[in-house]
Amino acid sequence: MATDENSRPSGPSMPSRESAAQSLALAEEAKAAVGAISPGRWYQPTLAAFVIGIFLTNLLPDPFDITALGVLFVGMMTFVVVQVRKMGVMHRATPETGRQIAVGALIGGAVYVAALVVDSQADMPWVWVPAALLVGGGILGLERHSRTKGIPA
């Protein structure tokens, strides 16, 4: 077999410019579709408002605090479940999302325990207001870049 200087060795052929352009267009469409199923701008502020409400239930008198806590918690969980079902795609947690959830839980727990200690030891129930605002703001800050829905883009 004689080989020509211009012939290429046999193997996978390079895609043409047209097929590469089509593949890129399909990938961009898929990325846009994944972005379209992400939660709206109201999703994180609503979750933050539920958590703020849960913190502020400590300001209510005894019979109402447990009731309000239960109502807010059930409302928050119902909101999350309805949102996931409405979008039709299960949340895919990335390692970054897992770290952000862990950091958020640690911050929330630490602030709750600190506010509980200050409230019981120093008799300052007003401490729940800044504690609630701190945790609610932390949720909004941590969740800003965290969630990826469907196929990672």
Side-chain angles (χ1 to χ4, degrees):
M1 264 194 189
T3 57
D4 190 306
E5 287 180 19
N6 294 330
S7 68
R8 288 191 238 174
S10 63
S13 63
M14 295 295 291
S16 67
R17 286 183 180 250
E18 292 81 24
S19 67
Q22 286 176 339
S23 297
L24 181 61
L26 286 173
E28 287 175 351
E29 284 180 27
K31 187 175 181 179
V34 168
I37 58 174
S38 64
R41 292 183 181 209
W42 50 268
Y43 181 71
Q44 297 304 329
T46 304
L47 285 180
F50 274 119
V51 172
I52 288 171
I54 287 172
F55 267 68
L56 293 179
T57 59
N58 290 297
L59 294 173
L60 296 174
D62 272 343
F64 300 112
D65 60 349
I66 297 295
T67 305
L69 178 68
V71 167
L72 285 171
F73 185 75
V74 168
M76 182 173 63
M77 289 298 115
T78 303
F79 175 73
V80 169
V81 168
V82 167
Q83 181 67 27
V84 167
R85 286 190 180 189
K86 179 180 169 185
M87 291 178 0
V89 173
M90 293 301 291
H91 174 67
R92 178 176 290 173
T94 63
E96 179 184 347
T97 304
R99 284 190 298 272
Q100 289 172 342
I101 290 170
V103 168
L106 287 173
I107 290 172
V111 170
Y112 188 86
V113 169
L116 192 62
V117 167
V118 169
D119 183 20
S120 64
Q121 298 295 325
D123 197 30
M124 291 192 245
W126 56 266
V127 78
W128 290 106
V129 174
L133 294 176
L134 177 69
V135 171
I139 288 171
L140 292 177
L142 285 173
E143 292 290 330
R144 187 172 179 193
H145 300 290
S146 68
R147 293 184 183 236
T148 302
K149 297 290 183 178
I151 302 166

